[in-house]
Amino acid sequence: MTVKQISVFLENRYGQLHEITNILAQAGINLTALNIAETKDYGIVRILVDDVAKATDVLIGAGCVVSVNPVQVIAVPNKSGGLNDTLEKIADANIDIEYMYSTVDGVNGEAKLVFKVDKPELLEKTV
Amino acid sequence: MQNYFQKEIETMPREKLKSLQNEKFMKQIKHVWNDCPDYRRKMEASGVSLEDIKSIDDISKLPFLTKDDLREAYPYAMLAKPLSECVRIQSTSGTTGKRVIAYYTKHDIDLWDECCARALVAAGADKNDVVHVSYGFGLFTGGAGLNGGSHKLGCLTLPMSSGNTDRQLQFMTDLGSTILCCTPSYAAYLGESINERGLRDKIKLKAGIFGAEAWSEEMRKDIEKSLGIKAYDIYGLTEISGPGVSFECSEQTGMHINEDHFYAEIVDPDTLEVLPEGEEGELVFTSLDKEAFPVIRYRTKDICVLKKCECSCGRTFIKMVKPRGRSDDMLIIKGVNVFPSQIEAVLIEQGYQANYQIIVDRVNNSDTLDVNVEMTPDKFTDNLGEVAEMEKKLVSALKAMLGIYAKVHLVAPKSIVRSEGKAVRIIDNRKI
Ligand SMILES: [Zn+2]
C-alpha cells in the first residue's frame, strides 16, 4: 500500500526530537511509525501519521523544514523467517531498497514495514 | 514620475560641476584651517599651509584622515563649529574602542536629507509615495537619513525602525507602504515573513533602498523576487554624513556619488598614491560643504572603482561600483582574504538562504573556518544521501570561491538570529 511519509529536518541538538513530537501531540496527531537517519551534525526524522495534511501544516507553521513523499507499507508475517522471505522476494525482483523501518501498529500476527524503493509498483506486485 | 530631485545639479555638465567643486572645496579648506585647530595642526604637521592649496587639484598635498584620528578626537576635538550651532549628533556602531561622534548643524542635516531625497527619487519615489523606514533609529544614521530624505521629498513617512515584524507587516499592508528602506538582511527577513503569512497580494511595495551592509547581486535578486520589487543600493558612512553619499539609479551599474557635496578619490591602500580613474583602490572622501564636522581626505577602507561615464539616467555624477567589502569586514583566514559577501554569493547560487554565520577560530596555531547555513525546504528531501551530497557540493563551491576549506554546518531554519540593524555574520574567536 502506498502512503505519504513526512520527513523533518533535525539539527543534532538536545531536545530537538521532543520539539517535533510535542508539536504533533499538541495538534492531536497520532504517530504510527518513526525512523531517524542521522549524520554527526543533523538528521532526518521520517514519520507516518494519521493526518498528513494537518501534521504538515502544524510542522511548517512551527518553522520546521518538511518534505512529503510516497513510501510503500508492506505487511509481513510476524514469525520466524517472515522478514527473510519478504526480503528474498524483493532481492529476486531486483528491487533496490533505499531504506526501510517498521511501524508500531502491527496487528493479527502481522508486522507492517515501511519501504522506500526504486520500483514501488513492482514491489506492490512482488509481495 | 519625477526623474530628479534637483535636476540642475544632478545633471550638471562635468566642467561646470568641477568648478562648483573647486569653489566649495576652497571654502571648506579655509573653514577647517580657521575653525578647527586640530585640523590646522594636522596640516602643519605634514608641512602644508593654507597658502599651498590654490585649487582642488592641490588636494593630494593634504594629509589623510583615518577612523583612528576621529576616534581620538572623541568627544569634541574635530568640531569646526561651536556646540551652540550644532543641532544633532549621530554615532558609529563601533564595538571596540571609542565611538566616532558626528556633529550636524541645521545646514548639515539639510544637506544630508537632500542626498537621501535624491536617492529616493532615483529609486522611483515622488511625494505620493509611502516610505516605510525600517532602518534602526537612534545613533545609527540609517533611520534618521532616509526619514529626513523622505520628509524633504514630501512623502508620507513611516518611522518604523527595525524589529516587531507583526507591526511592520500590519502597517505595510494597512497603510500601503510603497518604498521600503532598511538593511538588505532585514529586507530578506521581511520578504520571508510576508511570504510565510501569505501577504504578498496585500502589499503595495514597488521599490526598496537597502544599505549599511555589504550585499551581493544574488541577494538583490532574492529580495526582488520575495518582495516583488526593484531593489536599490545606497552607500554612506556616518563619518561623512550618513546614507546617501552615493545612490543607485535605474541603470544599477554603480552608485552616483553626490559630487556637489563629496569629492571622491581612489588611492592605493599601501602607498597612498592617488590612482587613475578606473583602477581599484581605497575610496577616500572629502566633504565640500559641511559646517560642524568636515572631513578632508577621509579613508573609508572600502575597496572599489570609480567610473566616469555617461549614464542613461542623465545624471552626470561619477559612479562608484559596489565596494568589494569593507576592509573592516575582510577576514584573513590562513593568510587568505575572505569577504563575507563571497560566502553569501555561493550560498544563494547553491540555493540556500542568505542567512548564515561565519565562525573563525584558531586550533593548534591553524585557522579554522566554519559556516552555519540554514536548511531550506528547497534543499531538503527524505534521502540522507542526497542532503549530504548537496552539503558536499556547497563545501566544494566555497572552496572554489575562497581558496580555503570551510566546514559547513546545516542548522535548523530560523536558528540563526535575524538582524534588526546590521547582521552579526562573523564570530571571530581567534585571540590575535
Ligand atoms: Zn544613472
Side-chain angles (χ1 to χ4, degrees), chain B residues 87-189:
Chain B
V87 295
R88 175 141 28 109
I89 66 154
Q90 301 285 159
S91 176
T92 57
S93 55
T95 46
T96 51
K98 286 174 186 162
R99 285 164 167 257
V100 174
I101 298 182
Y103 295 84
Y104 303 77
T105 62
K106 277 186 184 151
H107 164 89
D108 295 333
I109 296 273
D110 223 40
L111 176 159
W112 179 21
D113 289 350
E114 201 172 279
C115 290
C116 288
R118 290 178 190 171
L120 280 159
V121 173
D126 61 26
K127 69 187 279 287
N128 302 309
D129 277 294
V130 179
V131 178
H132 191 108
V133 185
S134 302
Y135 277 113
F137 279 69
L139 289 170
F140 176 50
T141 49
L146 271 307
N147 195 68
S150 175
H151 279 184
K152 194 133 207 132
L153 185 55
C155 304
L156 176 63
T157 311
L158 278 49
M160 300 301 300
S161 200
S162 54
N164 198 338
T165 308
D166 286 329
R167 191 176 59 198
Q168 299 275 357
L169 300 187
Q170 192 188 343
F171 278 39
M172 198 177 276
T173 47
D174 293 350
L175 301 181
S177 309
T178 53
I179 310 273
L180 173 65
C181 307
C182 59
T183 60
S185 49
Y186 197 54
Y189 177 62

Side-chain angles (χ1 to χ4, degrees), chain B residues 227-246:
Chain B
L227 286 169
I229 59 169
K230 197 162 161 72
Y232 293 84
D233 206 352
I234 188 166
Y235 172 90
L237 293 169
T238 308
E239 293 86 342
I240 304 168
S241 72
V245 171
S246 66

Side-chain angles (χ1 to χ4, degrees), chain B residues 43-64:
Chain B
M43 284 167 67
E44 282 169 343
S46 60
V48 198
S49 99
L50 188 61
E51 286 79 60
D52 300 323
I53 309 300
K54 304 270 189 300
S55 80
I56 200 161
D57 295 328
D58 293 324
I59 196 166
S60 56
K61 294 178 182 164
L62 291 164
F64 289 97

Side-chain angles (χ1 to χ4, degrees), chain A residues 7 11 42 46 63 98-99 116, chain B residues 380 382-383 388 391 411-413:
Chain A
S7 305
E11 206 182 318
Y42 57 88
R46 304 174 182 126
E98 199 177 287
Y99 57 80
K116 173 80 183 287
Chain B
F380 183 63
D382 64 316
N383 187 321
E391 190 186 6
V411 299

Side-chain angles (χ1 to χ4, degrees), chain A residues 5 7-9 11 13 16 37-42 44 46 63-67 69 98-99 116, chain B residues 375-378 380-389 391 407-415:
Chain A
Q5 168 190 263
S7 305
V8 188
F9 178 78
E11 206 182 318
R13 186 157 55 77
Q16 272 268 290
E38 84 276 345
T39 68
K40 202 160 94 344
D41 289 330
Y42 57 88
I44 297 172
R46 304 174 182 126
C64 296
V65 173
V66 165
S67 146
N69 65 290
E98 199 177 287
Y99 57 80
K116 173 80 183 287
Chain B
M375 181 45 109
T376 87
D378 297 346
F380 183 63
T381 76
D382 64 316
N383 187 321
L384 192 65
E386 277 173 26
V387 174
E389 197 52 45
E391 190 186 6
K407 185 163 175 29
V408 167
H409 303 272
L410 294 174
V411 299
K414 303 249 157 117
S415 62

Side-chain angles (χ1 to χ4, degrees), chain B residues 389-402:
Chain B
E389 197 52 45
M390 286 186 282
E391 190 186 6
K392 251 202 223 154
K393 261 179 76 183
L394 179 57
V395 171
S396 21
L398 283 170
K399 176 92 198 278
M401 170 68 96
L402 307 174

Side-chain angles (χ1 to χ4, degrees), chain B residues 249 256 311 313:
Chain B
C249 63
H256 287 289
C311 186
C313 77

